[in-house]
Amino acid sequence: MATDSSPAAAAAAIPSYRKAVDAYKKAVATAASVTAYAVLARGMARELLPHDLSDAAEWAASFLRARLEPRPTERRTIVIKRAAGDHHHYDGENGLFEEVREYLATRIQPRSMRRLCLSGGVGGARKVLSMEPGDSMTDSFEGVDFTWASVAAEGRHGYGTESLEVSFDAKHTDMALGQYVPHITASVEEERLRERALKIYMNESSSWRGITHRHPATFDTLAMDPELKQSVIDDLDRFLKRREHYRRIGKAWKRGYLLYGPPGTGKSSLVAAIANYLRFNLYDLDLSDVHSNMFLQRLLIGMSDKSILVIEDIDCCFSSASREDKDQSHHQTGAGHSTDDDVMDDVSPPAPWTMMPPSLPQQQKITLSGLLNFIDGLWSTSGEERIVIFTTNYKDRLDPALLRPGRMDREIYMGYWLGGLQDSGSQLLPPRRPPHVPRAP
């Protein structure tokens, strides 16, 4: 049965094969005809259509292709150069270059880079990663990709201008200049502030001498009422964010605190905790070593921004006689009058500070108005982002001019807080006893 069916199956397949061959021949013939007609139509169009109409047709075709095909994205490039011959200058010309280099060091993905440059580490310095010349990397900001490339210096003997170049889509130019570059600067400034070694400065005549500040006090270890502590932290955070607010209202960007309370209640520790929290340097001003208002001005101008000025035991720095008494005697003699409430206590001559040796001439004594002029007078704008802290054990002994609103923005009472000793990790220390509590027999 199998041998009889094979010839029959082959005979049945022959007609279907012939049909396929015929269909193929027809398709070839049709394609040839279409091609011939297309060539003929093109030739006739060239011969019959005017040149102007032909050019218009080609322009229309080009226009349609331009509209339908995706256009290549236009790119922009910003070049940030480093000044030739100076590889360690962090201000002036090279300031932005070094800021970008430090910023990119925090964004580099080591596993995605073919080559990396590792520098630093000398004298305990932090090691920094950077790109080798010729390499590139991508950084994302607000959903936009910015491509950075390191370009080698060109010049004689290898000396030239090294640069970092960032490329991006042209439509993001405003974002790059108005948001991305300021974001880089702010990020680096914040990182430098967080990692820098704090210093505490002491005045010597009209200059400052600084040493490393290693006070361990923080808000976590400070024995202080929790609600009061949190309010101080919130106040400091709010101060840091209000630069535009102070500029808008026309006031110096500073904040004044008066810490008062019995001895041994942690006023100095709170000052150290504030410095460690803000990462601000401390300037401990000893007014007994300041011989005149001119020396005081030199010291205050010499302070850096992002710093804290501390005057401890302010009640011991000047005569206990209030300037109001001097004002009253001044008015009784009819020597002069003042109608400006804002500056009344600054206009009248204040009592000289009595810490100075009696042998010094009168004009060499520091005055209370000299200090007040720095707090909220013309000299208050000599720096930005500053904290001014006065401490005293006896608030009632202070001249009312020091306590006027606008000079001391906040008064913080530091009392005995025994409930926080265990929370602050000081459970091994004996509880601090207020002076009025008698010692047990």
Side-chain angles (χ1 to χ4, degrees):
M1 296 292 296
T3 56
D4 296 338
S5 61
S6 296
I14 291 176
S16 59
Y17 174 75
R18 289 177 178 174
K19 290 180 180 179
V21 172
D22 293 339
Y24 175 75
K25 289 180 179 180
K26 290 180 180 179
V28 172
T30 303
S33 300
V34 171
T35 304
Y37 282 119
V39 172
L40 179 61
R42 183 176 182 181
M44 292 177 63
R46 287 181 178 179
E47 295 295 334
L48 299 178
L49 292 178
H51 292 289
D52 294 341
L53 184 59
S54 177
D55 293 340
E58 291 181 1
W59 178 87
S62 300
F63 178 78
L64 290 175
R65 283 197 302 268
R67 298 288 293 180
L68 298 177
E69 294 179 357
R71 299 177 60 184
T73 304
E74 187 179 0
R75 302 282 289 178
R76 290 282 188 273
T77 300
I78 297 177
V79 180
I80 302 173
K81 297 182 178 181
R82 175 160 59 182
D86 190 352
H87 289 207
H88 301 284
H89 189 61
Y90 289 87
D91 298 317
E93 288 184 85
N94 289 330
L96 182 57
F97 181 91
E98 296 297 338
E99 288 176 350
V100 171
R101 191 177 71 89
E102 292 183 27
Y103 172 79
L104 294 180
T106 64
R107 311 293 293 179
I108 287 179
Q109 298 294 335
R111 296 184 179 182
S112 63
M113 303 294 293
R114 184 172 56 88
R115 300 179 65 195
L116 290 171
C117 179
L118 183 62
S119 59
V122 179
R126 180 171 58 94
K127 295 181 177 63
V128 178
L129 286 175
S130 60
M131 293 184 292
E132 277 284 274
D135 287 344
S136 62
M137 60 171 288
T138 300
D139 180 39
S140 295
F141 174 75
E142 300 290 340
V144 178
D145 290 338
F146 294 88
T147 302
W148 287 93
S150 177
V151 180
E154 296 180 359
R156 292 184 179 180
H157 310 293
Y159 293 100
T161 305
E162 182 183 358
S163 62
L164 292 170
E165 302 182 357
V166 56
S167 301
F168 47 87
D169 292 347
K171 62 181 179 181
H172 300 305
T173 301
D174 292 340
M175 172 185 284
L177 296 175
Q179 300 180 37
Y180 185 53
V181 174
H183 164 73
I184 292 175
T185 301
S187 299
V188 173
E189 183 179 359
E190 182 179 352
E191 185 67 19
R192 287 178 180 176
L193 192 65
R194 183 166 52 249
E195 294 190 356
R196 74 173 179 175
L198 296 184
K199 289 185 174 295
I200 180 170
Y201 293 88
M202 296 160 288
N203 60 299
E204 292 181 348
S205 186
S206 61
S207 61
W208 296 103
R209 180 173 62 88
I211 60 174
T212 303
H213 175 65
R214 296 189 176 92
H215 200 295
T218 65
F219 281 109
D220 293 332
T221 63
L222 197 63
M224 186 177 178
D225 179 81
E227 294 184 1
L228 178 59
K229 182 191 303 185
Q230 187 59 48
S231 69
V232 173
I233 294 174
D234 295 340
D235 191 72
L236 294 171
D237 291 338
R238 183 165 52 252
F239 167 74
L240 295 179
K241 300 175 182 178
R242 303 189 74 183
R243 178 174 187 170
E244 294 302 325
H245 167 75
Y246 283 95
R247 181 176 299 177
R248 186 172 62 254
I249 64 176
K251 293 186 61 177
W253 189 13
K254 66 177 183 60
R255 188 77 172 161
Y257 294 92
L258 174 66
L259 310 184
Y260 68 98
T265 52
K267 293 185 287 294
S268 298
S269 296
L270 177 57
V271 172
I274 292 175
N276 288 328
Y277 180 77
L278 297 177
R279 305 303 298 172
F280 283 10
N281 289 330
L282 281 167
Y283 289 81
D284 188 6
L285 181 60
D286 181 7
L287 291 174
S288 64
D289 198 29
V290 181
H291 302 318
S292 68
N293 287 342
M294 180 181 65
F295 282 13
L296 178 63
Q297 290 176 356
R298 290 179 181 175
L299 287 169
L300 300 179
I301 292 175
M303 292 176 55
S304 64
D305 295 340
K306 298 182 181 294
S307 59
I308 301 175
L309 174 67
V310 182
I311 303 180
E312 296 188 280
D313 297 322
I314 187 68
D315 56 291
C316 301
C317 292
F318 54 91
S319 172
S320 60
S322 172
R323 294 191 312 152
E324 291 182 355
D325 298 336
K326 194 170 185 69
D327 291 342
Q328 291 176 3
S329 62
H330 178 71
H331 288 297
Q332 289 174 0
T333 58
H337 302 278
S338 176
T339 58
D340 190 344
D341 294 337
D342 270 348
V343 297
M344 182 179 294
D345 51 5
D346 293 336
V347 172
S348 59
W353 296 49
T354 58
M355 66 180 66
M356 305 308 304
S359 59
L360 290 177
Q362 180 73 17
Q363 63 270 20
Q364 290 185 350
K365 292 184 179 180
I366 186 174
T367 59
L368 180 57
S369 65
L371 181 62
L372 297 182
N373 283 335
F374 170 74
I375 297 176
D376 66 348
L378 293 177
W379 290 99
S380 64
T381 58
S382 61
E384 283 192 335
E385 206 168 358
R386 288 179 176 175
I387 302 290
V388 180
I389 299 179
F390 293 162
T391 70
T392 179
N393 297 334
Y394 307 100
K395 177 185 174 184
D396 56 337
R397 296 183 184 179
L398 298 181
D399 192 303
L402 283 171
L403 306 179
R404 198 187 68 180
R407 288 174 177 161
M408 291 295 100
D409 300 291
R410 181 165 182 182
E411 300 176 3
I412 302 175
Y413 175 73
M414 300 294 292
Y416 292 99
W417 174 251
L418 302 180
L421 289 178
Q422 292 184 352
D423 295 337
S424 64
S426 305
Q427 61 267 30
L428 298 180
L429 297 177
R432 290 180 292 184
R433 178 176 51 83
H436 64 276
V437 178
R439 187 182 300 273

